[in-house]
């Protein structure tokens, strides 16, 4: 999909909680399966293995949309650029396609954070910039402070969490919502409604949830698996569609306590 000049593949492979050996095993298989969007972060501790896996895969770097994220302790002063340069060395590349602020950090002025994002983009170290885990209020402020367009806000999004306000703000801004934790930490897999819809289409619950995400305008989905046989399944979501009633029924699963990821000291005042 296109967001503020960035062509972001609608389905990506996320590497959160994926140890280095798994990255080395799964990423070449994912690239062979046709995945072209890879997502990591400084704090995941697997950038070096991801760089090694990409190099070993034989897939041209220019075909891959590569995202990493700056950790909150690197936001201030010279640490920001130094940490990005370290990420690039580990990833064995001279640029990433998308660089995100990983979480809000009130200890560093947002203007300084956004300024640093713009500076590394201006220097050619990153093609596009964005944020992650930002509320609509923080997003509005970040957009106001940024010279370059912000292309995405990467947030938790699955059938049990209503992200309507965030999605509305992003659509209005011409930005993408990149969804992580799509499987709600595995909770979706036993859901009776989702299992019923999956059976109706002859698909897995995981395919239905990923399809529900990418079928929404402006939404990019990150999938994750440590099992190569699941890669083909996760990729096969573009040859079927959910009808309006099915989409609405899945949206109706959202509940007030649906949020899973909200670490104290990092999480903003959520919408």
């Amino acid at each position: 999909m296109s967001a503020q000049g960035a062509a972001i593949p609608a389905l990506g492979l996320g590497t959160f909680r994926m140890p280095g050996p798994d990255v080395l095993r799964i990423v070449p298989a994912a690239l062979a399966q046709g995945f072209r969007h890879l997502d990591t972060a400084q704090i995941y501790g697997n950038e070096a293995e991801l760089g090694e896996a990409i190099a070993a895969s034989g897939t041209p770097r220019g075909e891959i949309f590569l995202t990493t994220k700056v950790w909150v302790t690197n936001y201030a002063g010279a640490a920001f650029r130094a940490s990005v340069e370290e990420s690039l060395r580990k990833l064995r590349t001279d640029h990433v396609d998308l660089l995100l602020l990983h979480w809000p950090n009130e200890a560093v002025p947002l203007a300084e954070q956004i300024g640093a994002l713009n500076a590394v983009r201006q220097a050619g170290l990153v093609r596009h910039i964005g944020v992650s885990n930002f509320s609509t209020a923080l997003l509005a402020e970040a957009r106001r402070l940024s010279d370059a367009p912000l292309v995405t806000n990467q947030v938790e999004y699955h059938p049990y969490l209503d992200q309507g306000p965030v999605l509305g703000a992003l659509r209005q801004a011409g930005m993408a919502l990149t969804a992580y934790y799509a499987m709600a930490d595995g909770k979706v897999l036993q859901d009776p409604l989702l299992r019923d819809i999956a059976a109706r289409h002859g698909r897995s619950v995981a395919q239905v949830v990923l399809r529900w995400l990418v079928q929404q305008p402006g939404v990019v989905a990150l999938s994750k698996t440590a099992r190569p046989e699941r890669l083909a399944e996760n990729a096969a979501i573009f040859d079927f569609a959910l009808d309006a009633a099915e989409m609405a029924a899945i949206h109706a699963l959202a509940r007030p306590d649906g949020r899973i990821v909200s670490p104290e000291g990092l999480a903003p005042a959520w919408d």
Side-chain angles (χ1 to χ4, degrees), residues 92-240:
R92 303 190 187 188
T93 185
D94 62 358
H95 73 281
V96 290
D97 299 280
L98 178 59
L99 184 72
L100 307 179
L101 299 175
H102 203 149
W103 284 91
N105 179 7
E106 292 179 356
V108 180
L110 188 57
E112 185 176 339
Q113 299 175 38
I114 298 297
L117 263 185
N118 277 265
V120 292
R121 180 184 178 277
Q122 194 69 33
L125 304 183
V126 310
R127 290 219 169 118
H128 303 285
I129 56 175
V131 295
S132 184
N133 301 302
F134 270 41
S135 64
T136 53
L138 279 171
L139 179 68
E141 181 68 2
R143 289 184 63 229
R144 187 183 67 77
L145 292 165
S146 187
D147 294 328
L150 303 177
V151 305
T152 196
N153 185 11
Q154 185 178 129
V155 294
E156 176 184 349
Y157 190 26
H158 48 72
Y160 304 127
L161 179 61
D162 175 17
Q163 286 286 28
V166 173
L167 196 46
L170 290 168
R171 284 180 181 148
Q172 201 169 0
M175 295 172 62
L177 183 153
T178 303
Y180 72 78
Y181 257 54
M183 300 303 138
D185 225 8
K187 292 182 178 65
V188 298
L189 301 177
Q190 302 305 320
D191 190 284
L193 173 80
L194 295 171
R195 293 178 77 157
D196 181 54
I197 293 172
R200 208 177 302 154
H201 287 272
R203 301 284 173 152
S204 69
V205 169
Q207 286 174 312
V208 166
V209 172
L210 291 171
R211 178 68 210 180
W212 172 75
L213 287 167
V214 302
Q215 199 168 307
Q216 297 176 53
V219 175
V220 172
L222 296 179
S223 64
K224 185 200 163 189
T225 182
R227 295 164 61 182
E229 63 272 18
R230 282 277 165 80
L231 290 167
E233 177 187 312
N234 288 350
I237 60 168
F238 298 103
D239 60 347
F240 78 104

Side-chain angles (χ1 to χ4, degrees), residues 26-50:
I26 291 294
V27 169
L31 291 168
Q33 190 62 53
F35 280 84
R36 288 297 180 268
H37 176 182
L38 302 175
D39 180 274
T40 186
Q42 292 173 350
I43 201 69
Y44 296 174
N46 60 18
E47 287 177 317
E49 289 85 356
L50 182 55

